[in-house]
Amino acid sequence: NAGVTQTPKFQVLKTGQSMTLQCAQDMNHEYMSWYRQDPGMGLRLIHYSVGAGITDQGEVPNGYNVSRSTTEDFPLRLLSAAPSQTSVYFCASRANRDSSLAEAFFGQGTRLTVV
Amino acid sequence: SQELEQSPQSLIVQEGKNLTINCTSSKTLYGLYWYKQKYGEGLIFLMMLQKGGEEKSHEKITAKLDEKKQQSSLHITASQPSHAGIYLCGAREGGGGSQGNLIFGKGTKLSVKP
């Protein structure tokens, strides 16, 4: 049971480049989400999905796109990277959004630097 | 929107000492989670509290939930270097379209001196 798998672990991009951060879970969870973690800011929600085909914006969605074509995968796309997107990105999944009993499982994180 | 405030922001303790980290919510809590993070790694789930007055323990870490104060505390007894890391509290956001999303405090950085 791998849990939540994120790739890559590290990435350096030039301003204006695009890339996709991958996230996959093998727990058949309905709910998946992306956070970014910045010093002094804690974890902030970027986008989330409550099931295949359904996505919505979180607290800081600008500059990011997501899609959820399968239950397992929830990629995060940066269309035109900016230095302000330098951060550590975490993908998380839960059985469902509304259950107060549902633990959130996190990936190992992707450390992204935009130069 | 709901916010979680953690205190202190950072903490340095001598090995063997006890310590407490607090997490206070600006709104009603619907489940409170504690996670630990080591540098360069993901978040490790410690425990979850649901009801007011609930208390849970895992090894030397105890967490309590005070529903009336909208607050949770994490207490570590006889700290060890292995306890060092960043402790994050998280809660399900209540009300409106964002209900059910997890929000997090900014974290408490714990260092334990041998």
Side-chain angles (χ1 to χ4, degrees):
Chain A
N1 189 345
V4 179
T5 303
Q6 275 184 247
T7 55
K9 288 197 78 173
F10 301 94
Q11 183 72 48
V12 178
L13 286 179
K14 293 183 178 178
T15 297
Q17 284 186 316
S18 63
M19 79 159 295
T20 300
L21 279 62
Q22 301 290 345
C23 177
Q25 53 91 9
D26 60 0
M27 298 171 282
N28 202 31
H29 284 172
E30 292 181 356
Y31 179 81
M32 296 183 74
S33 54
W34 277 102
Y35 291 87
R36 60 177 288 173
Q37 186 178 35
D38 302 292
M41 301 296 290
L43 283 165
R44 293 182 291 171
L45 183 65
I46 304 171
H47 284 286
Y48 65 94
S49 168
V50 297
I54 307 169
T55 64
D56 208 343
Q57 297 179 351
E59 180 187 355
V60 288
N62 292 340
Y64 308 95
N65 282 346
V66 292
S67 60
R68 185 96 179 267
S69 56
T70 67
T71 299
E72 295 78 19
D73 300 299
F74 189 45
L76 178 74
R77 296 186 190 84
L78 284 72
L79 295 178
S80 179
S84 61
Q85 293 178 304
T86 294
S87 187
V88 181
Y89 292 85
F90 287 100
C91 178
S93 77
R94 296 171 71 200
N96 59 68
R97 186 173 74 161
D98 295 326
S99 171
S100 60
L101 298 175
E103 172 191 341
F105 294 83
F106 284 82
Q108 292 297 296
T110 297
R111 191 170 295 271
L112 176 68
T113 302
V114 182
V115 298
Chain B
S1 61
Q2 188 170 5
E3 292 183 354
L4 296 177
E5 185 173 336
Q6 284 186 239
S7 62
Q9 287 185 322
S10 64
L11 196 52
I12 303 173
V13 299
Q14 200 70 39
E15 183 177 356
K17 295 293 185 185
N18 303 336
L19 63 106
T20 299
I21 299 168
N22 292 307
C23 175
T24 304
S25 174
S26 60
K27 293 185 179 180
T28 302
L29 284 167
Y30 298 93
L32 192 289
Y33 301 77
W34 283 101
Y35 286 85
K36 179 186 175 184
Q37 183 183 24
K38 291 211 164 188
Y39 180 78
E41 298 180 14
L43 278 69
I44 300 168
F45 174 76
L46 294 176
M47 56 193 86
M48 179 185 70
L49 304 166
Q50 255 195 295
K51 301 173 187 175
E54 188 172 13
E55 181 175 321
K56 287 189 177 178
S57 294
H58 175 69
E59 297 178 345
K60 293 185 178 180
I61 301 175
T62 300
K64 299 178 187 178
L65 180 61
D66 186 330
E67 212 167 48
K68 286 183 181 176
K69 291 184 181 178
Q70 297 176 174
Q71 185 179 72
S72 177
S73 60
L74 185 85
H75 184 77
I76 298 177
T77 304
S79 58
Q80 300 169 355
S82 61
H83 287 129
I86 298 172
Y87 289 81
L88 290 142
C89 65
R92 286 179 62 241
E93 196 166 22
S98 60
Q99 182 174 358
N101 289 326
L102 286 187
I103 60 169
F104 289 87
K106 294 180 180 179
T108 296
K109 184 178 178 182
L110 172 63
S111 301
V112 180
K113 286 185 171 182

